Amino acid sequence: DSSHLDSEVHTHGTVKMAAIAISTPIVARAPVVARRARVTARAAVAPTAKPAVSIGARTMMSGSRVESRAMQVASGRKALVCNAGGVQKAAPGEKKKVFGLDLPENESLSFLILAGGSLGSALGFAALQEGVFRIPGFKFGAWMTILTTFTYFLCGALEMKLTGDSRKASWKNYGILSVYTYGGMAMTNYALSYLNYATRIVFKSAKIIPVMAFSVLIVGKKYDWKEWLSAAILVAGIVLFTLGDVASSPAFAPIGVALIAGALCVDAICANFEEKNFFRCENPSTTQEVLCFASLIGTFYGLIPFIASGKAGVAIAHSMQYTQVVPMIMGFSVLGYSSVSFILSLIKYYGATEAEIIKSLRKVLSIVISFILFPKALNWKYIAGFAAVLVSTAYTFYLKGEKRKAKEAAKAAASA
């Protein structure tokens, strides 16, 4: 999710603000095909470089865990082994930081700060974003997307300034990437006009499905029946939750499902492009760099059709009448960006598994918060769908644990 916190993220996030997942597609980032891979880079890449993860689908990082360490090789190059999504693992003894600020030396306290920061930011993001759509007459998804991408640009630029970062990727690649990131976020935000917010969160939890589809169709990867069973349970949960939305939401329309499904596919395509051109390359970009420049161009992409459509005046007039609109949108965008940064730090310092647990927890809590703050007509389909999503999530963690144990056993046998 930013969106997507997702972001969202992207997220994703992407942004997912995340998804940012969080519900921000732009901050939601993920590996290309969610596969295990060893990444090598030149020695010029600093071991303490800022983590880089693809914007399009942060929450799709669940499909990957790549071991991380750095070792010198005979050729003079350094092999960097990374965690999920290209996030470089912290070097031994490296000082823990987030937003350029030092974290406490105490391991437990640092983990609580990062986990609490991610959960708090994600829940605040969800509450504020759904609150915007509860404002009378607000139906301006394009206006929300423009303000969100502009805020991400400001946050990314500020973090680049604080960390002394600079642009590494080409403007051409940023121009292409912005089409994907802005498109995914725009479809997600438009979908909220036709779906309940909780349904949107459930849909954004299904990013693993297009990841598996692209892996099979493009790469030829094979999954065993247990992984397909987990995906099938997740699909059943989404269908039930959507049927619950049909029964309880007067604003529901099938186009909302089409939009959110389209956003998931765009996020998956976006992740492939990001990994190849920004993160799995000789001179990889940092997260803040990609967010900054992709969001800057995306803002202009959004402004052109928004102004040409003639809806800009109506949207701005509405925001002047309801003065809380702009602060709320920019507020949840900052929270989406923050949640993504907390998650990336968790991956870097504590590993992908711990980060995935926090990401799954924030999805569950976001749905619960949605029903508490903005009561909806509860029915058995909502409950059954939510239960199926929880079962699928738990089963996925179980399968990951089994794979990890098998891999460790194989390593032990090979070294014996």
Side-chain angles (χ1 to χ4, degrees), residues 93-96 102-110 350:
E94 179 182 345
K95 183 71 176 178
K96 294 182 178 64
D102 292 340
L103 290 169
E105 295 289 343
N106 184 282
E107 290 287 326
S108 298
L109 182 56
S110 293
Y350 295 96

Side-chain angles (χ1 to χ4, degrees), residues 241-322:
F241 211 92
T242 304
L243 291 175
D245 211 358
V246 173
S248 66
S249 175
F252 178 86
I255 189 175
V257 175
L259 286 168
I260 201 72
L264 287 177
C265 292
V266 171
D267 286 349
I269 296 171
C270 179
N272 282 273
F273 182 80
E274 289 167 338
E275 289 293 318
K276 178 181 178 181
N277 295 282
F278 295 91
F279 304 123
R280 305 293 192 191
C281 54
E282 185 174 321
N283 189 22
S285 301
T286 59
T287 301
Q288 63 268 25
E289 176 201 335
V290 177
L291 273 172
C292 176
F293 292 106
S295 299
L296 174 63
I297 298 174
T299 300
F300 286 104
Y301 281 168
L303 278 172
I304 295 171
F306 182 58
I307 295 173
S309 68
K311 296 181 179 179
V314 179
I316 293 173
H318 180 274
S319 295
M320 293 179 66
Q321 180 182 358
Y322 297 94

Side-chain angles (χ1 to χ4, degrees), residues 73-380:
V73 293
S75 65
R77 293 184 179 182
K78 186 173 290 183
L80 299 178
V81 189
C82 301
N83 276 315
V87 180
Q88 186 181 323
K89 186 177 179 182
E94 179 182 345
K95 183 71 176 178
K96 294 182 178 64
K97 292 185 176 184
V98 63
F99 304 119
L101 302 175
D102 292 340
L103 290 169
E105 295 289 343
N106 184 282
E107 290 287 326
S108 298
L109 182 56
S110 293
F111 181 81
L112 287 176
I113 290 174
L114 294 175
S118 175
L119 290 174
S121 298
L123 295 179
F125 172 92
L128 285 176
Q129 189 175 53
E130 185 168 5
V132 171
F133 280 93
R134 298 285 175 148
I135 295 174
F138 186 86
K139 295 286 183 181
F140 308 106
W143 179 228
M144 172 182 281
T145 307
I146 290 168
L147 289 175
T148 300
T149 54
F150 180 67
T151 305
Y152 287 161
F153 157 67
L154 293 178
C155 291
L158 177 60
E159 190 169 2
M160 286 186 70
K161 181 70 174 178
L162 293 174
T163 57
D165 198 7
S166 61
R167 181 177 62 84
K168 304 174 189 67
S170 68
W171 284 111
K172 176 184 176 181
N173 282 339
Y174 275 122
I176 298 172
L177 176 65
S178 298
V179 174
Y180 295 133
T181 56
Y182 184 87
M185 184 186 296
M187 284 192 285
T188 302
N189 288 338
Y190 274 122
L192 281 177
S193 298
Y194 308 100
L195 299 173
N196 271 329
Y197 194 83
T199 305
R200 177 253 182 100
I201 297 173
V202 170
F203 260 95
K204 297 298 279 187
S205 301
K207 287 183 178 179
I208 188 61
I209 295 173
V211 169
M212 292 176 70
F214 276 104
S215 298
V216 171
L217 296 174
I218 298 176
V219 184
K221 182 176 180 179
K222 297 184 182 298
Y223 295 92
D224 63 33
W225 68 270
K226 294 179 181 178
E227 292 170 301
W228 287 116
L229 175 61
S230 178
I233 296 172
L234 179 58
V235 171
I238 293 170
V239 170
L240 284 169
F241 211 92
T242 304
L243 291 175
D245 211 358
V246 173
S248 66
S249 175
F252 178 86
I255 189 175
V257 175
L259 286 168
I260 201 72
L264 287 177
C265 292
V266 171
D267 286 349
I269 296 171
C270 179
N272 282 273
F273 182 80
E274 289 167 338
E275 289 293 318
K276 178 181 178 181
N277 295 282
F278 295 91
F279 304 123
R280 305 293 192 191
C281 54
E282 185 174 321
N283 189 22
S285 301
T286 59
T287 301
Q288 63 268 25
E289 176 201 335
V290 177
L291 273 172
C292 176
F293 292 106
S295 299
L296 174 63
I297 298 174
T299 300
F300 286 104
Y301 281 168
L303 278 172
I304 295 171
F306 182 58
I307 295 173
S309 68
K311 296 181 179 179
V314 179
I316 293 173
H318 180 274
S319 295
M320 293 179 66
Q321 180 182 358
Y322 297 94
T323 54
Q324 69 270 38
V325 169
V326 173
M328 288 177 70
I329 293 175
M330 298 189 76
F332 76 63
S333 300
V334 171
L335 290 174
Y337 185 97
S338 300
S339 184
V340 167
S341 296
F342 283 122
I343 283 293
L344 293 179
S345 296
L346 277 170
I347 295 173
K348 180 177 182 179
Y349 299 122
Y350 295 96
T353 300
E354 289 78 1
E356 284 301 322
I357 292 172
I358 299 301
K359 287 164 62 183
S360 297
L361 180 58
R362 77 185 184 190
K363 292 174 190 175
V364 173
L365 292 179
S366 294
I367 294 172
V368 173
I369 287 292
S370 176
F371 275 90
I372 292 175
L373 296 182
F374 308 99
K376 305 165 184 63
L378 197 61
N379 57 58
W380 71 269

Side-chain angles (χ1 to χ4, degrees), residues 370-395:
S370 176
F371 275 90
I372 292 175
L373 296 182
F374 308 99
K376 305 165 184 63
L378 197 61
N379 57 58
W380 71 269
K381 295 171 186 175
Y382 272 141
I383 297 173
F386 185 52
V389 171
L390 290 180
V391 169
S392 175
T393 302
Y395 190 43

